[in-house]
Amino acid sequence: DAGVIQSPRHEVTEMGQEVTLRCKPISGHNSLFWYRQTMMRGLELLIYFNNNVPIDDSGMPEDRFSAKMPNASFSTLKIQPSEPRDSAVYFCASSSSYQETQYFGPGTRLLVL
Amino acid sequence: AQKVTQAQTEISVVEKEDVTLDCVYETRDTTYYLFWYKQPPSGELVFLIRRNSFDEQNEISGRYSWNFQKSTSSFNFTITASQVVDSAVYFCALSERNYGGSQGNLIFGKGTKLSVKP
């Protein structure tokens, strides 16, 4: 079975540009999570969805960040405009309420110049 | 507030040594889950184990074993006869049930970087 799929795997962009990260959760999972990993702050939750509905977005840094989940098989995390401090690895994870374990995608390594 | 502490930032051992990674957590909830994840140099996060707060039985899986003690709020991870392939960053994490019964988010520790030298 396919795991969580994220694209792109690497993204290099210039400050001020819009960045869109994509995630396809494991089929049948109804919870989806976006995390960010940096050296300074470690792994931190940005937002999570349950049944396509955002449940907790308190970790979203500021208005430049937005996330959507239009259906059960797709989510996006958008940064507009991007800044150098947004450089990080962004992970998407999914879980089923029954199993209660989050499975992570391979991550998107973002570098904003 | 929930918190996970991994006091060991880095550990270096020689192959075949046993090594224990410590994890201490804080929570006010009586129902919660504890996890360990492995992040090898390639960068992905690999799930290793999940434990719920009502199950204090220790678990062994091959060379890996976990010791969960509610009395000390600890969930330690031991690798027996370590191998070079065990070199990675290991994260301990806590998840509480939020109101309504659905899973809450994971609170991660800062991670312990394990280096196993041949």
Side-chain angles (χ1 to χ4, degrees):
Chain A
D1 287 341
V4 176
I5 298 171
Q6 290 186 248
S7 64
R9 294 292 307 276
H10 302 272
E11 178 82 23
V12 181
T13 190
E14 292 188 347
M15 184 174 63
Q17 295 298 307
E18 178 179 295
V19 175
T20 299
L21 311 182
R22 297 173 177 81
C23 175
K24 177 179 169 55
I26 293 172
S27 178
H29 283 187
N30 63 359
S31 294
L32 184 140
F33 306 79
W34 283 100
Y35 290 88
R36 179 171 67 175
Q37 184 178 32
T38 61
M39 290 295 293
M40 291 296 293
R41 300 174 66 90
L43 276 157
E44 52 182 351
L45 178 76
L46 298 177
I47 186 171
Y48 82 92
F49 296 84
N50 194 49
N51 292 322
N52 311 338
V53 176
I55 302 299
D56 183 358
D57 65 355
S58 58
M60 295 286 264
E62 47 199 271
D63 292 345
R64 297 185 298 106
F65 284 69
S66 63
K68 293 182 180 178
M69 192 164 186
N71 57 61
S73 59
F74 184 65
S75 176
T76 59
L77 178 67
K78 187 174 292 187
I79 309 172
Q80 166 64 18
S82 57
E83 296 182 2
R85 59 190 168 127
D86 302 330
S87 298
V89 180
Y90 290 81
F91 287 101
C92 176
S94 72
S95 71
S96 68
S97 297
Y98 176 75
Q99 285 190 323
E100 302 274 5
T101 294
Q102 292 182 29
Y103 294 92
F104 285 75
T108 294
R109 189 173 296 274
L110 173 66
L111 177 61
V112 183
L113 302 174
Chain B
Q2 319 100 301
K3 185 179 178 182
V4 176
T5 302
Q6 295 180 254
Q8 305 149 307
T9 305
E10 292 193 39
I11 299 176
S12 182
V13 299
V14 177
E15 210 170 18
K16 296 185 183 177
E17 283 186 31
D18 298 347
V19 58
T20 295
L21 310 182
D22 298 332
C23 173
V24 174
Y25 62 93
E26 295 176 27
T27 177
R28 289 174 293 187
D29 208 343
T30 56
T31 303
Y32 52 89
Y33 295 90
L34 295 163
F35 301 79
W36 278 94
Y37 286 84
K38 173 182 179 180
Q39 187 172 43
S42 52
E44 70 270 29
L45 280 162
V46 179
F47 165 72
L48 295 178
I49 189 171
R50 174 177 71 99
R51 255 295 175 256
N52 74 53
S53 51
F54 298 108
D55 182 2
E56 287 193 72
Q57 280 192 337
N58 293 332
E59 177 144 345
I60 298 174
S61 176
R63 297 184 297 106
Y64 295 171
S65 61
W66 291 269
N67 180 259
F68 176 28
Q69 292 193 344
K70 286 180 76 171
S71 61
T72 55
S73 297
S74 65
F75 186 42
N76 297 336
F77 173 29
T78 297
I79 301 174
T80 303
S82 60
Q83 299 176 1
V84 173
V85 293
D86 296 326
S87 296
V89 180
Y90 291 86
F91 291 95
C92 181
L94 165 71
S95 172
E96 295 178 341
R97 278 199 178 274
N98 60 21
Y99 183 78
S102 61
Q103 183 187 8
N105 57 289
L106 287 173
I107 306 297
F108 283 89
K110 295 295 186 185
T112 297
K113 182 178 181 180
L114 173 65
S115 298
V116 182
K117 300 186 187 328

